[in-house]
Amino acid sequence: MSDKPKRHLDPQLAEARRAQVINAASDSFRRKGYHGAGMAEISKTAGMSAGHIYNYFDSKEAIIEAIIERDKEEMFSVFNGFLEQPGDLLQIMVDGADDGVEKHLDLERSALELEMLSEAARNEKVAALLAQSDTQARALMKQLMQSERSQIRHLPEHELDARIAVMFSMITGLTMRRVLHPELDKDTVLLALNPVLKTLLTP
């Protein structure tokens, strides 16, 4: 189902309105859950009518798709930043873990991620969208690991895949740890995570 505006609108205004709806829906899903946050709740949070929202999104599921796309673009921006930044790639990636840990320990962000995963268990389309985003993220990480600046570019592909799986599991697993252990802080995580990352990023 298309989530394009249904009538001619100024492109910049349309993009701003779409972002307004996406942010409102993210907030609503965090507070009330996917099924608890209907279009009425989203429109109230966005400060626009439900009818106005339908100019930009055909359904609540289309909004979920846009949230996933937004998060994917943010993640890709980080990975591409690693590739473009000059210097020792190993140290760049280890330093980059600081931001990743902070984001995954953010309680509000964590609540939204858990809600999306919960919906994926019930909704095949959401599950497919999240799986596709994860596949693309792993592919981009492999591109980093196989670049000329990587110390592990010559490792067999199946071992690179295994190392990526472990790295992603450690970072995304922080979401659940933060919910179960609210006092967990970034410095504590990085104390153990940085040496592990260095091991995974070296032969």
Side-chain angles (χ1 to χ4, degrees):
M1 195 175 287
S2 172
D3 60 359
K4 300 291 185 185
K6 297 180 180 179
R7 56 187 175 84
H8 179 72
L9 296 164
D10 176 81
Q12 287 186 330
L13 178 60
E15 189 61 32
R17 290 289 183 264
R18 282 171 56 84
Q20 184 178 345
V21 174
I22 290 169
N23 291 335
S26 297
D27 183 53
S28 298
F29 294 153
R30 277 192 294 263
R31 291 184 290 104
K32 294 181 176 289
Y34 178 78
H35 291 282
M39 291 300 281
E41 173 66 26
I42 295 171
S43 64
K44 179 181 177 182
T45 305
M48 64 176 70
S49 69
H52 194 184
I53 289 176
Y54 283 117
N55 286 321
Y56 308 100
F57 297 97
D58 288 336
S59 65
K60 192 165 67 168
E61 192 173 78
I63 300 175
I64 281 275
E65 183 173 353
I67 292 173
I68 293 171
E69 183 65 25
R70 177 198 64 184
D71 293 345
K72 182 180 74 175
E73 289 177 358
E74 180 182 316
M75 179 169 49
F76 282 17
S77 176
V78 172
F79 286 176
N80 283 321
F82 291 160
L83 279 172
E84 294 168 1
Q85 187 174 339
D88 179 33
L89 183 62
L90 169 62
Q91 194 58 50
I92 289 169
M93 293 181 70
V94 170
D95 290 343
D98 186 291
D99 185 56
V101 169
E102 185 170 0
K103 287 179 179 177
H104 281 85
L105 289 178
D106 182 276
L107 287 175
E108 288 193 356
R109 186 186 183 96
S110 297
L112 180 60
E113 287 187 3
L114 291 173
E115 186 60 36
M116 301 279 272
L117 288 170
S118 178
E119 179 58 22
R122 300 181 291 260
N123 186 318
E124 290 184 359
K125 183 173 182 181
V126 173
L129 289 168
L130 287 173
Q132 180 185 49
S133 177
D134 181 72
T135 297
Q136 293 171 338
R138 286 185 284 109
L140 188 53
M141 177 60 79
K142 185 182 287 187
Q143 182 182 341
L144 276 166
M145 290 184 158
Q146 292 177 326
S147 70
E148 285 301 315
R149 295 161 60 203
S150 170
Q151 296 183 29
I152 56 174
R153 60 187 179 277
H154 299 305
L155 289 180
E157 190 166 339
H158 71 276
E159 184 170 345
L160 289 176
D161 289 337
R163 294 191 185 204
I164 291 169
V166 170
M167 281 191 285
F168 277 35
S169 296
M170 288 191 301
I171 297 296
T172 58
L174 291 172
T175 297
M176 184 176 295
R177 293 309 313 158
R178 180 63 163 173
V179 172
L180 298 175
H181 183 189
E183 298 82 12
L184 185 63
D185 63 83
K186 182 178 69 173
D187 290 341
T188 299
V189 172
L190 290 174
L191 183 65
L193 180 63
N194 283 346
V196 175
L197 286 176
K198 289 179 180 178
T199 298
L200 290 170
L201 293 169
T202 52

